[in-house]
């Protein structure tokens, strides 16, 4: 029963990583760049939703919506101002810019909200008004799954399903796939590549806002650096699953979450990160393109 | 007024002067071919017309409008389609999805109808409708690239080396299709290294040598010309 409860907390953590990883992987797939500022968009999402319910008196869900709107706009702005001028530049220049944007966001948050951590109220309170835990109790109460965890896991599955539908069925989604394969050919079809990239950042950033709210609901201390570590782990998850692949990000996220939870429970809390990254290294040695990544040989 | 008019075009890659002031025309209903050796600037010319490359000077007008300031993705709806060098089909998408992308700028209601026409022309593609384009043979990929370009219902279709990498029998098939397209009223600008095949279908032809047009005339004239024979037809 203990194992099951660790497994569920791992899946739950993994669901958050998966949502973040989906943002990384979509942007990488289409713009062929690693947006290292993605983790910090998560943090901004956390702060905006915090402002929503703590200062503006909004409902938690409305705050989430507000965070999604703000992050979407932020994502489009970041892409338009920082990355778009570098479309022809080397990937190293883009990477360094992304790291710069990451610091810019962290320090802006420090300036606006200060260094003192905010105590974040979970989207669904962990304890009900009567003092009993807000959780689903199974096996005569031996296993308890908080409603927050259920919502998180459901959100991840729904997002994954929606994205799969979007990229395989809609015109814009197909255009995104076309851009990710061959930008020049996509342009010759009449696809506006710049607008498509912008849309991808918008979607990724809206997902980051959701991830921010979920993340802060589990780890209630909100600081300007809140997004960086989960950002890096989710990036790991995206690479693990095969960067550029949507199901890969989902699988990678879940596995990283589960491995992390298991390592914390059965090996050592301090070593959890080492275990996670060791697994990543081993997987990449065996499958360089990641679990579900396609190794595309280049025809010469 | 010609459908396509290129005037004194100069294109550079960095310091390299790739196209040195070429001018040519394509009239409505014609097949015009640009022949020349590897590196003569044939693909560069097509990429400049479709807006993927920007010339240093010169002008391109299509259907009476100057196109140089128009981004490539907008030119499609003016009626310009290009079958790129090396086919450039979307390898991870299905045949049907590739065709849909070709109709990206067209109204959704029209897509099924255009697709039926393309399948009539290329029954092979119909058979492979649900297949991922990366699994098609080279000849089938060329058909797909041509079908995809037709989906936008172009006034002018530009083909960049359609015979590249194909077995002789497939090259003949592809050229038969080009003739069919021409008969059904599509204007074609064909860029080819395979001068013999290109001249056999072309109404008019231009010979491009290191960025300059050195000869021009009807397809028959050039096929009979001693210079062309010597340089390109192995005679």
């Amino acid at each position: 029963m203990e194992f099951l409860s660790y497994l569920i907390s791992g899946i739950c953590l993994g669901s958050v990583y998966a949502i973040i990883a989906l943002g990384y992987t979509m942007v990488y797939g289409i713009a062929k760049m690693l947006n290292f500022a993605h983790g910090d968009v998560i943090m901004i999402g956390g702060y905006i939703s915090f402002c929503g319910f703590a200062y503006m008196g909004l409902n938690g869900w409305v705050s989430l919506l507000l965070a999604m709107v703000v992050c979407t706009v932020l994502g489009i702005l970041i892409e338009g101002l920082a990355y778009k001028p570098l479309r022809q530049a080397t990937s190293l220049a883009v990477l360094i810019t992304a790291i710069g944007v990451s610091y810019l966001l962290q320090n802006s948050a420090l300036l606006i909200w200060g260094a003192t951590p905010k105590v974040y109220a979970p989207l669904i309170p962990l304890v009900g008004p009567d003092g009993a835990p807000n959780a689903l109790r199974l096996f005569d109460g031996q296993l308890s799954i908080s409603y927050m965890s259920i919502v998180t896991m459901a959100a991840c599955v729904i997002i994954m399903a929606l994205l799969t539908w979007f990229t395989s069925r809609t015109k814009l989604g197909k255009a995104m796939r076309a851009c990710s394969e061959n930008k020049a050919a996509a342009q010759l079809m009449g696809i506006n590549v710049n607008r498509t990239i912008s849309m991808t950042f918008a979607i990724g950033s809206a997902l980051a806002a959701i991830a921010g709210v979920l993340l802060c609901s589990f780890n209630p201390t909100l600081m300007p650096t809140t997004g960086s570590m989960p950002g890096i782990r989710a990036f790991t998850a995206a690479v693990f699953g095969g960067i550029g692949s949507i199901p890969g990000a989902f699988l990678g996220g879940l596995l990283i979450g589960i491995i992390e939870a298991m390592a914390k429970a059965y090996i050592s809390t301090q070593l959890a990160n080492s275990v996670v990254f060791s697994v990543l290294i081993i997987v990449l040695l065996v499958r360089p393109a990641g679990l579900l990544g396609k190794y595309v040989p280049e025809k010469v | 007024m010609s459908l396509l008019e290129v005037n004194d075009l100069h294109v550079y890659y960095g310091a390299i002067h790739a196209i040195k002031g070429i001018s040519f025309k394509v009239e409505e209903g014609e097949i015009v071919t640009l022949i020349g050796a590897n590196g003569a600037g044939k693909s560069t010319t097509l990429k400049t017309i479709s807006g993927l490359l920007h010339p240093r000077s010169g002008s391109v007008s299509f259907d009476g409008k100057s196109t140089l300031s128009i981004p490539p993705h907008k030119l499609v709806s003016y009626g310009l389609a290009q079958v790129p060098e090396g086919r450039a089909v979307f390898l991870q998408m299905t045949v049907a999805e590739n065709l849909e992308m070709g109709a990206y700028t067209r109204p959704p209601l029209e897509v099924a109808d255009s697709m039926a026409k393309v399948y009539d022309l290329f029954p092979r593609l119909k058979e492979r409708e649900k297949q991922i384009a990366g699994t098609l043979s080279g000849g089938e990929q060329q058909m797909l690239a041509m079908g995809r370009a037709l989906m936008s219902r172009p006034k002018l279709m530009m083909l960049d080396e359609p015979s590249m990498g194909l077995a002789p029998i497939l090259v003949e098939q592809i050229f038969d299709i080009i003739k069919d397209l021409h008969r059904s009223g599509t204007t074609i600008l064909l860029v080819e290294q395979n001068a013999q095949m290109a001249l056999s279908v072309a109404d008019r032809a231009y010979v491009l040598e290191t960025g300059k047009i050195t000869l021009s005339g009807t397809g028959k004239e050039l096929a009979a010309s001693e210079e062309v024979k010597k340089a390109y037809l192995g005679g």
Side-chain angles (χ1 to χ4, degrees), chain A:
Chain A
M1 211 49 68
E2 203 185 31
F3 173 80
L4 213 57
S5 126
Y6 289 135
L7 183 67
I8 287 168
S9 81
I11 293 176
C12 190
L13 185 66
S15 299
V16 180
Y17 291 158
I19 296 172
I20 308 171
L22 284 170
Y24 266 115
T25 225
M26 286 187 71
V27 165
Y28 178 82
I30 286 147
K32 297 285 177 280
M33 67 161 291
L34 295 172
N35 178 18
F36 273 115
H38 192 64
D40 302 290
V41 177
I42 297 169
M43 170 272 296
I44 299 284
Y47 272 109
I48 298 293
S49 59
F50 178 82
C51 289
F53 61 72
Y55 303 146
M56 293 154 73
L58 297 173
N59 168 302
W61 296 92
V62 180
S63 309
L64 168 65
L65 210 63
L66 177 71
M68 284 173 73
V69 172
V70 172
C71 285
T72 303
V73 174
L74 182 69
I76 294 174
L77 278 178
I78 292 174
E79 196 277 323
L81 296 175
Y83 304 145
K84 195 174 162 191
L86 297 175
R87 205 77 89 213
Q88 311 298 331
T90 60
S91 51
L92 199 58
V94 184
L95 187 70
I96 290 168
T97 308
I99 294 172
V101 172
S102 164
Y103 280 116
L104 176 74
L105 292 179
Q106 282 183 26
N107 287 294
S108 307
L110 195 62
L111 212 63
I112 301 170
W113 291 292
T116 326
K118 308 279 186 214
V119 180
Y120 195 93
L123 190 57
I124 299 170
L126 298 175
V127 179
D130 52 352
N134 238 343
L136 187 69
R137 303 174 77 79
L138 297 169
F139 307 111
D140 293 333
Q142 287 184 66
L143 181 68
S144 115
I145 311 168
S146 71
Y147 290 130
M148 190 62 227
S149 308
I150 295 173
V151 165
T152 303
M153 293 183 263
C156 178
V157 172
I158 293 169
I159 288 170
M160 166 71 195
L162 279 177
L163 279 182
T164 308
W165 170 80
F166 176 73
T167 52
S168 63
R169 293 276 176 269
T170 66
K171 193 170 164 181
L172 184 61
K174 287 178 195 173
M176 280 182 181
R177 281 160 60 212
C179 285
S180 96
E181 264 201 63
N182 189 332
K183 289 198 184 54
Q187 276 180 302
L188 292 177
M189 301 299 108
I191 297 168
N192 185 339
V193 171
N194 277 331
R195 211 183 59 199
T196 310
I197 293 179
S198 206
M199 281 301 299
T200 312
F201 271 86
I203 294 172
S205 305
L207 292 183
I210 298 176
V213 169
L214 295 175
L215 191 71
C216 293
S217 295
F218 290 105
N219 289 324
T221 38
L222 178 58
M223 290 181 290
T225 51
T226 290
S228 34
M229 201 55 208
I232 289 174
R233 287 212 196 93
F235 168 62
T236 312
V239 175
F240 190 56
I243 193 140
S245 150
I246 289 178
F250 178 75
L251 183 67
L254 286 185
L255 286 177
I256 293 281
I258 293 170
I259 294 167
E260 187 183 327
M262 291 300 165
K264 275 185 180 152
Y266 295 110
I267 302 173
S268 138
T269 318
Q270 283 86 2
L271 281 178
N273 276 336
S274 318
V275 173
V276 168
F277 289 104
S278 309
V279 172
L280 173 77
I281 291 170
I282 293 165
V283 167
L284 290 185
L285 281 175
V286 183
R287 284 191 61 91
L291 291 174
L292 301 183
K294 286 190 202 95
Y295 169 67
V296 186
E298 270 186 42
K299 272 192 191 168
V300 188

Side-chain angles (χ1 to χ4, degrees), chain B:
Chain B
M1 185 187 57
S2 314
L3 185 59
L4 178 75
E5 272 189 62
V6 173
N7 235 319
D8 197 22
L9 200 66
H10 288 264
V11 184
Y12 286 75
Y13 287 110
I16 299 162
H17 198 173
I19 300 289
K20 301 166 185 161
I22 65 170
S23 306
F24 66 92
K25 284 178 188 178
V26 180
E27 305 290 341
E28 208 159 341
E30 277 188 316
I31 299 190
V32 173
T33 180
L34 293 179
I35 57 173
N38 210 356
K42 305 183 303 289
S43 295
T44 308
T45 307
L46 285 200
K47 282 183 188 155
T48 310
I49 296 170
S50 58
L52 293 176
L53 292 174
H54 299 286
R56 180 98 33 113
S57 65
S59 72
V60 175
S61 83
F62 177 69
D63 211 7
K65 288 173 280 273
S66 167
T67 60
L68 289 181
S69 54
I70 302 171
H73 66 265
K74 291 209 174 126
L75 278 176
V76 184
S77 36
Y78 285 70
L80 193 64
Q82 186 182 345
V83 181
E85 189 180 12
R87 315 182 241 289
V89 294
F90 300 115
L91 295 172
Q92 291 170 38
M93 298 171 83
T94 65
V95 168
E97 283 172 336
N98 267 278
L99 294 178
E100 274 175 55
M101 288 296 104
Y104 191 77
T105 54
R106 307 298 303 185
L109 287 174
E110 197 187 276
V111 176
D113 182 49
S114 303
M115 213 181 265
K117 280 187 186 143
V118 169
Y119 286 149
D120 273 348
L121 201 60
F122 304 100
R124 200 52 172 277
L125 294 182
K126 173 75 185 164
E127 288 164 32
R128 322 234 145 176
E129 199 177 10
K130 299 264 180 295
Q131 214 169 306
I132 299 292
T135 63
L136 299 181
S137 72
E140 288 163 346
Q141 286 188 13
Q142 184 60 48
M143 292 177 196
L144 180 57
M146 288 166 73
R148 187 180 65 175
L150 286 172
M151 291 294 290
S152 69
R153 304 200 170 173
K155 288 184 194 141
L156 174 67
M157 182 149 134
M158 303 196 290
L159 291 144
D160 196 346
E161 302 266 5
S163 74
M164 192 204 258
L166 297 185
I169 176 120
L170 283 169
V171 173
E172 285 193 18
Q173 264 186 38
I174 295 290
F175 273 85
D176 283 340
I177 293 163
I178 293 174
K179 277 187 251 171
D180 280 350
L181 286 178
H182 178 231
R183 235 170 283 147
S184 65
T186 313
T187 308
I188 291 168
L189 174 59
L190 171 68
V191 151
E192 257 301 342
Q193 267 192 71
N194 187 334
Q196 198 163 6
M197 286 305 283
L199 291 176
S200 74
V201 298
D203 295 313
R204 287 188 307 110
Y206 296 88
V207 177
L208 203 58
E209 245 173 77
T210 56
K212 280 186 197 140
I213 287 177
T214 51
L215 272 175
S216 65
T218 65
K220 277 191 193 118
E221 278 167 19
L222 287 195
S225 133
E226 287 304 319
E227 283 170 72
V228 174
K229 269 190 195 161
K230 219 180 258 163
Y232 304 105
L233 302 178

